[in-house]
Amino acid sequence: MKIIDQLNRIISIKETPKRIVSLVPSQTELLFDLGLETTIVGITKFCIHPKHLLKSKTIVGGTKQIKLDKIKALQPDIILCNKEENTEAIVKACEQIAVVHVSDIMTIQDCIDMIQQYGEIFNTPKKALKISETIQNNVNDFNLFIKNKHPLKVAYYIWKNPWMVAGQNTFINYLLRLNNFDNVYAHLGRYPEIDEKGLEDADVVLLSSEPYPFKKEHIEELQTRYTNANILLVDGEMFSWYGSRLIKAFAYFKTLHQNL
């Protein structure tokens, strides 16, 4: 079987992979929801859904720093990567061990394409189709919910020391647009650092739970920077995880809007 991944790399798969290493947390969750738990042999320390996998599977490092010796020892049939989560060097190193599939997610359609491709690779087309259709139906329903909502200027923070936000060409920015949020830092790079000189006015400031674990005390700290903004803690997984996590995301977004 010839597969073209989302970086337009042609990969050859002789038979359905039976030993999978996933270096992407959201894709690990997707594998589980596709019914592939028994074929997962290696994951990262950030693959926290479902939590029991951290105890039952081999941890091969993080998403940016991996232990190649552990991966090699697992004798995987395929290694799953992502353009943003994993470095080019990691992909090249993993290619010396097994077939590597790389996802590249910027839109909902990219997510659906990846899910359906996994269905083909791992011979779970019906489950992949069901997940894809559920996500698309939830998106369609959410578009009806959001279409009459007044646009809001939003800043989405992902890090502290230095302060960093989500900018252009990110999946987060794409989901902000779906929420009828005008990202005030969309004119900047993907994850720019923000100092006092770079502050933009915002109606709402969202503090993500990941990768930096923002807490309530950070709301007070940022309130001095955004004196007129509504500052909220948000579930970062809903804004940055793709795959089956998106099934839950749009109900979460509805609740978020109701709390604004």
Side-chain angles (χ1 to χ4, degrees):
M1 175 170 49
K2 297 285 187 180
I3 294 288
I4 300 176
D5 71 11
Q6 291 181 302
L7 291 188
N8 291 316
R9 301 160 62 255
I10 299 175
I11 60 177
S12 297
I13 300 174
K14 294 181 180 180
E15 57 186 5
T16 303
K18 299 292 190 242
R19 298 180 63 81
I20 307 169
V21 168
S22 173
L23 302 181
V24 188
S26 57
Q27 292 171 197
T28 300
E29 180 181 43
L30 172 60
L31 293 173
F32 177 83
D33 289 334
L34 286 171
L36 296 166
E37 179 177 0
T38 59
T39 63
I40 302 170
V41 295
I43 60 176
T44 76
K45 62 183 178 181
F46 302 117
C47 295
I48 59 174
H49 296 300
K51 289 184 178 180
H52 72 265
L53 293 184
L54 290 172
K55 295 181 179 179
S56 62
K57 306 300 177 181
T58 299
I59 309 300
V60 298
T63 54
K64 298 293 191 293
Q65 294 182 325
I66 61 172
K67 298 178 180 178
L68 287 169
D69 56 337
K70 282 194 172 185
I71 295 176
K72 189 173 183 179
L74 290 171
Q75 298 182 310
D77 298 318
I78 192 169
I79 302 170
L80 304 179
C81 295
N82 172 265
K83 181 181 178 182
E84 178 166 310
E85 292 277 4
N86 313 121
T87 65
E88 184 178 356
I90 284 176
V91 172
K92 289 182 177 179
C94 287
E95 285 178 325
Q96 303 304 310
I97 300 173
V99 170
V100 177
H101 180 282
V102 185
S103 63
D104 184 18
I105 307 297
M106 294 296 294
T107 67
I108 293 295
Q109 188 58 54
D110 290 338
C111 298
I112 289 174
D113 290 345
M114 179 194 68
I115 293 166
Q116 293 182 343
Q117 194 164 81
Y118 276 20
E120 180 181 2
I121 293 170
F122 301 114
N123 195 28
T124 58
K126 290 183 179 180
K127 290 181 180 179
L129 181 60
K130 183 177 180 179
I131 292 172
S132 299
E133 288 181 340
T134 301
I135 291 171
Q136 189 60 64
N137 289 338
N138 289 352
V139 171
N140 294 342
D141 175 70
F142 183 73
N143 284 338
L144 293 175
F145 168 83
I146 202 70
K147 70 176 183 178
N148 294 322
K149 297 288 185 181
H150 182 70
L152 294 171
K153 294 190 296 181
V154 170
Y156 187 100
Y157 275 75
I158 63 165
W159 200 257
K160 183 180 186 294
N161 297 325
W163 295 106
M164 296 176 67
V165 297
Q168 62 182 324
N169 297 325
T170 61
F171 187 56
I172 293 173
N173 187 58
Y174 171 83
L175 288 181
L176 290 174
R177 292 201 308 270
L178 278 186
N179 276 274
N180 209 12
F181 291 149
D182 178 15
N183 183 359
V184 297
Y185 296 111
H187 61 290
L188 299 178
R190 288 168 56 79
Y191 300 109
E193 295 182 15
I194 300 298
D195 57 23
E196 294 295 336
K197 294 181 180 179
L199 284 184
E200 298 280 352
D201 289 334
D203 302 311
V204 178
V205 175
L206 303 178
L207 305 185
S208 180
S209 61
E210 63 167 43
Y212 188 91
F214 283 106
K215 306 296 182 185
K216 288 183 178 180
E217 59 263 28
H218 300 117
I219 294 178
E220 296 180 5
E221 190 173 353
L222 277 172
Q223 201 72 70
T224 61
R225 297 162 64 96
Y226 299 92
T227 55
N228 297 317
N230 185 6
I231 303 179
L232 301 171
L233 299 173
V234 294
D235 186 341
E237 293 173 1
M238 298 300 179
F239 280 95
S240 61
W241 283 41
Y242 29 88
S244 47
R245 175 65 34 166
L246 284 169
I247 290 174
K248 303 175 182 179
F250 294 94
Y252 175 84
F253 295 154
K254 284 185 179 181
T255 300
L256 175 62
H257 281 274
Q258 291 164 356
N259 291 331
L260 290 177

